[in-house]
Amino acid sequence: SLVASAFAVSGATAITHPIDVVKVRLQISQGDNARADSFSMRRFLRFWPMLYRQEGYKTFFSGVGAATARASTYGAARIGLSEPLQLACGSKTLGALAAGVAATCVGNPFEVLKVRLQSCPEEANLGEIRALVTMVRREGVLVLARGFHWAASRSALLTASQIVPYDACKTGLKVHFGLADGVKLHCIASLAAGVVTTTVTAPVDVIKTRVMSSHSGQPTAILQMLKVEGPFVLFKGWLANYVRLGPQTLFIFIFYEQAR
């Protein structure tokens, strides 16, 4: 189960990584139109050529090595431990939450590096190993634990809101619509789970990204952020995140169903 999970999440991560870069850039943007950064298709589509013109195509692959390393550890634990922990806890939701928190323990250093490389072109230009060494040298080894509580919260919510709705949707489609177990059923259930996941995790994901991309290590002032940018700041990058999580959830569960 763990091997199948690692394969599934790593494959999905590599395919959707450029979208993740755009999502991170939207989340850390300081503009005054948080609603557009959250839900505007026009803003999302225009962001790609703008980023390309400013930084070139390589920026869309910033941190892809760290993302894949994170996927093969964090992703394997998050998906692979979910079923055993659900059985141990006697609850699908509690088991999924526990798996998400456990996964963050192994994946957080890679997550910090990934976000820093995605958000800062200067660091990405150093290369991943050199950027990691420089980051630790300047800010101390504890930088690798930065934003852990936000990452753990997001991971727990992500796992619960991905796995539980996926299972519920799959069961409902079988029972009420007579869909046979197969790729069609897995696709529909995955895309539906992606909507739930994106919405539930959005506020924590924005805060996590801002904390991890910070060089100061200072806590993010959430109330100040809301005051300056409005409530939609907590949903910045929602559309980009769904465009990423929808296919990613689809790829994860299709790879996982075929590999296990």
Side-chain angles (χ1 to χ4, degrees), residues 4-259:
S5 300
F7 172 75
V9 183
S10 296
T13 297
I15 291 168
T16 59
H17 187 77
I19 307 171
D20 191 40
V21 172
V22 172
K23 180 211 75 165
V24 166
R25 293 301 185 89
L26 286 168
Q27 288 178 328
I28 63 174
S29 66
Q30 300 294 318
D32 58 359
N33 197 345
R35 179 181 290 189
D37 285 344
S38 302
F39 304 114
S40 171
M41 177 64 76
R42 186 179 181 184
R43 166 74 166 152
F44 172 66
L45 292 176
R46 285 186 170 185
F47 204 84
W48 291 78
M50 182 187 73
L51 201 56
Y52 173 77
R53 285 193 301 269
Q54 291 175 351
E55 301 176 27
Y57 75 91
K58 287 186 178 179
T59 196
F60 295 108
F61 299 93
S62 299
V64 68
T68 306
R70 171 183 172 272
S72 62
T73 53
Y74 160 87
R78 186 172 68 83
I79 302 293
L81 292 177
S82 183
E83 200 170 307
L85 287 173
Q86 285 174 338
L87 293 173
C89 295
S91 165
K92 284 190 174 183
T93 303
L94 287 177
L97 289 170
V101 174
T104 307
C105 293
V106 295
N108 203 73
F110 299 116
E111 174 79 356
V112 173
L113 179 61
K114 176 185 80 74
V115 170
R116 290 285 285 268
L117 295 176
Q118 289 175 324
S119 62
C120 184
E122 294 79 12
E123 291 189 43
N125 289 336
L126 294 175
E128 301 195 11
I129 300 299
R130 190 176 172 191
L132 176 63
V133 172
T134 302
M135 185 172 70
V136 171
R137 184 182 298 144
R138 289 177 179 172
E139 301 172 51
V141 72
L142 288 180
V143 69
L144 300 177
R146 182 169 294 166
F148 175 84
H149 54 301
W150 293 114
S153 299
R154 177 188 176 274
S155 180
L157 291 171
L158 176 67
T159 308
S161 64
Q162 208 170 44
I163 292 173
V164 176
Y166 174 77
D167 286 340
C169 188
K170 199 167 71 164
T171 301
L173 289 168
K174 283 180 182 178
V175 173
H176 299 295
F177 295 93
L179 286 183
D181 196 8
V183 173
K184 182 179 179 181
L185 175 64
H186 301 158
C187 285
I188 297 171
S190 297
L191 292 173
V195 174
V196 178
T197 300
T198 305
T199 306
V200 168
T201 60
V204 177
D205 192 41
V206 170
I207 297 168
K208 173 195 72 70
T209 298
R210 292 199 173 194
V211 169
M212 288 184 173
S213 63
S214 168
H215 289 71
S216 67
Q218 296 299 313
T220 298
I222 299 171
L223 292 179
Q224 181 67 16
M225 191 169 74
L226 288 168
K227 182 179 178 181
V228 173
E229 301 179 64
F232 283 105
V233 68
L234 297 177
F235 293 91
K236 277 196 168 191
W238 187 96
L239 182 61
N241 209 13
Y242 179 69
V243 172
R244 182 182 70 93
L245 277 177
Q248 189 183 68
T249 304
L250 186 150
F251 290 135
I252 285 172
F253 286 115
I254 287 181
F255 288 164
Y256 181 66
E257 296 277 8
Q258 300 304 314

